[in-house]
Amino acid sequence: MDPLFILRKLGQSIWYDNLRKGLVTSGELKRMIDEYGVTGVTLNPLILERAVNGTSEYDDDIEKLSAEGLEDGDIASRIMTRDTRLAADALYPVYNLSAGKDGFACLDIDVNLANDPDATVRGARALATLTDRQNIMVRVPATAEGLRAVEELTFEGFNVNVSSLFSMDRYKEAAWAYVKGLERRVAAGHPIDGVSSVASFFVSRFDSHIDKRIEERIEASASNDEKARLKALLGRCAVANAKLAFLKFREIFESSGFKRLKDEGANPQRLLWASTSVKNPRYPDTMYVEELAEPGTISAMPLQTLLAFYDHGKVRRRLSEDLGSASKVFSELEALGFDYRALAETLLADALASQKRSQGLIIEAIATKRKAMKEKKAFEASYALNGFEGPVTAALDEIGNENFLERLWAKDPTIWKDGPEERRLIKDALGWLTLPDLMEDNLEVITSFATDVKKENYRHAVLLGMGGSSLAPLVLRDSFGPVPGFPTLIVLDSTDPEAVKSVTREIDPEKTLFIVSSKSGSTIEPLSLFDYFYGLLYETKGEEAGRNFIAITDAGTPLEGFSRKYRFKRLFINPHDIGGRFSALSYFGLVPAAVSGIDVGKLLYYASGISAATHPCMKERENPVVMLGAALGIFGRAGRDKITFFLSKEITSFGLWIEQLIAESTGKEGKGLIPVVDEPSGRPEDYGDDR
C-alpha cells in the first residue's frame, strides 16, 4: 500500500490544494481520489491566476461571460464558483460515503470582506446560491471580525473553513465561534449533524517567518551559547505550534461541554494543516506531512508535496507524540526575546495581504486575457511541421496513453530507465519541475538580500562559477541588464590568467560582491578563484574579507564549510535534486540576477504560467512543452537532428544556455540532438534535410 493510503488508513484526510477547471474536466481529480486517496480540495487563487494567464483553459469561459456583459471581477467569481461546483460533484461520492464528514470543495469568500462580519455572511449566502451543493465549504479568514461571521454562518448551517490561523489565541477563538454557532442552532431547534467545519493552521509559513528572524539573531550574536540555543529552534517552531493547537483541540472538543453537542450529532471542528510544502531546502520535502500525521485531522497538500509523499513518505502517528516538547520550544522562544503573539499577528496580516494580491492578480489576468483576445493577440504556440503532422500526432497519443505527464510530475524515473542505480540518479535530478513554486516561496529572501546589497553601494557583483551555474546568470544579465543603481554583474567562468586579470582591473575589490557558485562545492575552478580574490581583499580588510563573499551550493558541501570558516556575508543552500544546467530558476540563477537588479519576481511569474500549462490535467495537444518535446523527438528520429536557432539580438546569449542544455542532456548513448547557434541565416535551399 502506498504512503498516502496508509495515511488515510491511519485516519487522516488528504485534501488537494490546487483546484482549477481542467483538474475536474480532464478526470484528473477523479484519478487522484482513486489513486492518491484525496478526499477534499481547496481553491488556491494563485493557481487559478496561473491557469488563466499561462493556458487557454479559461479562454472560452472568459469570452462567453464577456459576451454576457460581465465585468472582470464578476467573471472571476463565476469561474471560481463553477470550478468549485464541478469539484464538489466529483467529491460527492466521498461526501456521501463519509456521511457528510469529508468530501468537501472549499471556496474563498472575498478577502476584502474579512473585516466586515455582516458582509462576509452576505458573501457566503451569495456563494451558496451560485454553487448550490451540500459539500461546499466556505473559507473565512481568521480575523476578529471574521470569527464573528464564523459563528453566524455556523448557526445558519454553512460548512466553514476558518483560514489563516497562526496562533493559539486565535485558534481558540475560532473553535469557540464554531461551538457557539452550534449551540445557537440547538437552541433554535435546528439539526447540527449536517454541519462541518475545519480550522486551517498554516505550517511552513510559520517556520519560514520565524527561521528568518532566528538566523538574523544567530548572525548578530556574539555568544556561542546563544547561537546554539537559537540553532536548536530552527525548523521546530511550526510543528510545535501545531502540537499546541492539537492540545487546545482536545481540551475543547473532548470536554463535557462539547459532549452534549456531540450527543446531538455535532462534528468536532477538525484541524487542517495548510501550507505543508517545505520552503527550506535543508528540510525533508515531506517533513510537515510526516510530523503532523494524526487521526481526525486533515493534511492539505499542493501537487509537489502530494507526489513527494506518495513516493517516499513515512507514516507514523507522530503529532500526539511528546506533546510536552511543544511548550518547551515556545518557552525557549520567549526566553530568547521573541514575541509569539506579535509574530502571529504579522503572519496573519501578511497572509491576508497575499490573498488580496492573488485575488487582484486573477482579475488582472482576466482583463489582460480579454484585451488580448479582443485584439487577437492571445499567445499560442504554433508549429509548422512540414509533413510530419501525422507522426507528431501519433507521438502525442503515445505520450497520453503512457500517462507521461502524471509520471513526470510524480518523478517516475522509469520514463527513462529502470535499473536501480539509474532510477536513483534520475529521481535525484528532477527538482527543477517544482522550482517556480519553491522559489516563489523564497522570493522575499532573495529580493530582501538584493535590496541590502544595493544599500551597501557595491559597484560590481562577480560570479565565480563554471558551466551550468554560470550560463543562466550570464543569459539573464545580457537579456535584462544592466539595471541602473544596482551592481554590474560580471560572470567569471574561466581561470585563464588574462580573464582573471581583466576582471581584477575592472573592479574595486572592496566595492565588489563575489558570488561563489558551485553545486558540489568542490569544483576546483570557482574555489581557486575564491582563493585568489579573498587573498586580494585580505590585504586590506584582514579577517573581514569574507564579508564581500556569498556562496550558493548544496547542503553539506565543502563550500558550505568555507562560507562559515571565512564568515561569508550570506550562504544560500540550493535544493539538492537539481543539476547545474537545470538550475536557472534556482538560487544559482535568481540570486545573481536579483543582486544585479533584475525583477526575478516577474521571471518566476511567467515561469509559473508555463508550469500551469504542463500540469497533468492539460491535454497533450494543448501543452506547449509536450508538443515541443514530441516534435523534437520525431524530427530527431527522422534524421533532422540539428536544431537551428535564429535569435533576436536582445536574447543572443540565450543560445549559450540552450546549447548546453540540449547538447548535454540529449547527447547520450551515441545519439542526441545538436543545437546550432550563431550561424548566419541562409536561404531555405541552402539547408540540408538534417535541420
Side-chain angles (χ1 to χ4, degrees):
M1 190 182 291
D2 72 66
L4 288 169
F5 275 96
I6 297 173
L7 194 63
R8 281 283 309 281
K9 190 175 180 181
L10 178 72
Q12 186 173 58
S13 294
I14 299 163
W15 287 15
Y16 183 47
D17 185 26
N18 198 347
L19 177 58
R20 54 193 277 193
K21 180 178 76 170
L23 182 74
V24 188
T25 57
S26 68
E28 182 69 7
L29 179 56
K30 174 67 166 58
R31 186 183 73 83
M32 296 179 87
I33 294 168
D34 294 341
E35 297 182 17
Y36 295 153
V38 168
T39 60
V41 67
T42 60
L43 191 150
N44 185 328
L46 191 61
I47 298 297
L48 177 60
E49 183 273 327
R50 290 174 183 171
V52 171
N53 173 62
T55 75
S56 59
E57 187 173 331
Y58 288 94
D59 288 8
D60 290 344
D61 297 315
I62 293 170
E63 190 170 32
K64 178 186 174 185
L65 294 169
S66 296
E68 293 178 14
L70 271 64
E71 298 297 324
D72 300 326
D74 294 326
I75 291 173
S77 179
R78 290 279 287 274
I79 284 172
M80 286 189 282
T81 52
R82 188 276 317 278
D83 288 0
T84 309
R85 189 168 60 248
L86 289 173
D89 289 343
L91 286 161
Y92 189 77
V94 177
Y95 176 79
N96 195 38
L97 194 63
S98 66
K101 292 177 173 57
D102 216 335
F104 292 98
C106 294
L107 178 61
D108 290 356
I109 294 175
D110 186 349
V111 70
N112 294 298
L113 308 177
N115 293 319
D116 185 337
D118 293 334
T120 298
V121 171
R122 289 194 299 271
R125 290 172 185 155
L127 290 178
T129 300
L130 286 169
T131 51
D132 190 28
R133 295 293 186 274
Q134 287 178 285
N135 56 327
I136 296 289
M137 188 169 273
V138 293
R139 192 156 56 179
V140 180
T143 60
E145 296 82 1
L147 296 185
R148 285 162 55 195
V150 168
E151 180 184 334
E152 177 61 29
L153 289 170
T154 303
F155 168 67
E156 293 188 15
F158 284 87
N159 302 309
V160 182
N161 179 339
V162 188
S163 181
S164 302
L165 286 163
F166 295 96
S167 77
M168 288 302 95
D169 295 337
R170 191 53 57 87
Y171 166 64
K172 184 168 69 172
E173 293 169 11
W176 282 118
Y178 172 64
V179 171
K180 288 174 184 175
L182 292 178
E183 288 174 340
R184 287 174 56 196
R185 280 187 69 80
V186 171
H190 301 314
I192 59 174
D193 57 336
V195 181
S196 290
S197 179
V198 301
S200 294
F201 227 81
F202 281 51
V203 187
S204 62
R205 288 192 197 181
F206 195 87
D207 261 349
S208 296
H209 187 82
I210 291 186
D211 278 3
K212 182 171 183 271
R213 279 144 188 80
I214 292 173
E215 286 168 351
E216 289 168 354
R217 284 278 301 279
I218 292 170
E219 183 69 22
S221 178
S223 164
N224 287 333
D225 176 64
E226 184 180 61
K227 284 178 185 281
R229 290 171 66 192
L230 288 163
K231 286 179 181 177
L233 292 171
L234 288 170
R236 295 184 62 201
C237 297
V239 171
N241 203 31
K243 285 177 180 285
L244 291 177
F246 182 67
L247 280 170
K248 187 61 64 178
F249 165 85
R250 280 183 168 178
E251 179 186 313
I252 295 170
F253 293 104
E254 294 179 6
S255 68
S256 57
F258 188 75
K259 183 179 183 303
R260 289 191 296 272
L261 289 172
K262 198 171 182 181
D263 291 341
E264 296 278 348
N267 298 306
Q269 182 190 59
R270 289 188 294 169
L271 281 163
L272 180 149
W273 312 122
S275 182
T276 55
S277 60
V278 176
K279 311 290 194 282
N280 191 326
R282 285 184 177 278
Y283 304 155
D285 56 2
T286 57
M287 179 176 83
Y288 295 118
V289 181
E290 291 181 2
E291 292 285 345
L292 302 177
E294 184 69 25
T297 64
I298 303 165
S299 186
M301 309 181 211
L303 181 64
Q304 65 268 29
T305 306
L306 184 84
L307 293 177
F309 196 82
Y310 173 77
D311 178 66
H312 54 267
K314 294 178 176 61
V315 180
R316 194 177 85 235
R317 186 173 178 174
R318 300 182 66 169
L319 178 66
S320 53
E321 286 183 349
D322 194 17
L323 290 169
S325 65
S327 297
K328 293 176 184 176
V329 168
F330 282 94
S331 295
E332 182 72 339
L333 269 178
E334 187 178 345
L336 287 164
F338 291 93
D339 188 334
Y340 168 71
R341 287 181 175 82
L343 288 167
E345 285 302 314
T346 298
L347 280 162
L348 174 59
D350 289 349
L352 293 175
S354 175
Q355 197 172 344
K356 285 179 181 178
R357 281 195 301 273
S358 296
Q359 285 186 185
L361 283 171
I362 293 173
I363 295 170
E364 186 180 313
I366 288 170
T368 302
K369 183 61 72 82
R370 287 177 75 182
K371 183 180 178 187
M373 291 165 68
K374 185 177 181 181
E375 297 175 357
K376 302 192 184 303
K377 291 181 180 177
F379 171 77
E380 187 175 342
S382 60
Y383 299 84
L385 298 176
N386 195 29
F388 282 81
E389 292 84 358
V392 170
T393 299
L396 289 169
D397 290 340
E398 181 183 347
I399 288 168
N401 292 335
E402 293 183 356
N403 297 318
F404 171 82
L405 277 175
E406 290 91 340
R407 293 167 64 198
L408 176 65
W409 279 100
K411 299 180 181 177
D412 177 359
T414 62
I415 293 172
W416 295 279
K417 298 284 184 181
D418 203 19
E421 182 62 17
E422 294 163 325
R423 291 172 67 173
R424 185 189 66 78
L425 288 170
I426 293 168
K427 185 180 283 290
D428 210 32
L430 294 172
W432 53 269
L433 277 163
T434 54
L435 271 178
D437 287 328
L438 180 63
M439 287 297 114
E440 277 192 337
D441 287 335
N442 289 278
L443 184 58
E444 196 267 335
V445 172
I446 298 170
T447 55
S448 63
F449 175 73
T451 300
D452 291 343
V453 168
K454 183 185 179 185
K455 287 177 182 175
E456 294 179 39
N457 296 315
Y458 287 99
R459 295 175 191 162
H460 293 92
V462 177
L463 174 67
L464 313 177
M466 298 295 293
S469 61
S470 63
L471 279 176
L474 180 66
V475 171
L476 296 174
R477 180 201 69 184
D478 290 353
S479 301
F480 304 121
V483 180
F486 286 84
T488 300
L489 180 64
I490 297 172
V491 176
L492 180 56
D493 58 355
S494 170
T495 53
D496 178 78
E498 289 305 314
V500 177
K501 284 180 184 177
S502 175
V503 171
T504 306
R505 286 192 296 266
E506 187 176 348
I507 65 171
D508 174 356
E510 291 191 40
K511 288 292 182 181
T512 301
L513 179 73
F514 295 92
I515 305 170
V516 190
S517 189
S518 170
K519 175 178 172 60
S520 69
S522 59
T523 309
I524 190 66
E525 292 89 348
L527 293 184
S528 298
L529 292 169
F530 155 69
D531 193 53
Y532 169 74
F533 286 108
Y534 182 86
L536 282 183
L537 279 160
Y538 191 84
E539 293 175 6
T540 56
K541 297 187 69 173
E543 298 293 336
E544 289 298 304
R547 306 305 292 170
N548 282 63
F549 291 83
I550 69 170
I552 307 173
T553 188
D554 284 5
T557 67
L559 179 54
E560 180 182 358
F562 289 150
S563 74
R564 302 194 191 285
K565 176 181 177 181
Y566 293 102
R567 297 174 56 222
F568 279 20
K569 176 186 281 296
R570 188 64 182 264
L571 168 67
F572 289 93
I573 296 295
N574 212 57
H576 74 279
D577 54 352
I578 301 166
R581 62 187 181 276
F582 295 97
S583 63
L585 295 177
S586 73
Y587 285 129
F588 283 112
L590 297 181
V591 171
V595 163
S596 62
I598 293 169
D599 187 347
V600 294
K602 184 177 286 187
L603 189 67
L604 287 171
Y605 173 79
Y606 286 109
S608 296
I610 294 299
S611 183
T614 64
H615 188 280
C617 72
M618 293 295 292
K619 295 175 182 175
E620 286 75 17
R621 299 184 195 191
E622 296 173 359
N623 186 320
V625 178
V626 172
M627 184 72 181
L628 177 60
L632 291 176
I634 291 299
F635 276 102
R637 286 181 182 177
R640 294 178 180 264
D641 57 357
K642 315 296 188 302
I643 309 177
T644 308
F645 288 86
F646 297 102
L647 300 167
S648 307
K649 66 178 182 179
E650 293 86 354
I651 58 167
T652 300
S653 63
F654 177 70
L656 296 172
W657 178 65
I658 204 71
E659 183 177 47
Q660 189 207 35
L661 191 67
I662 293 171
E664 196 171 340
S665 298
T666 71
K668 309 291 183 184
E669 301 178 2
K671 58 186 177 183
L673 302 172
I674 301 170
V676 181
V677 179
D678 289 338
E679 181 184 59
S681 59
R683 298 169 302 168
E685 56 268 27
D686 293 336
Y687 296 94
D689 289 339
D690 60 347
R691 301 292 183 127

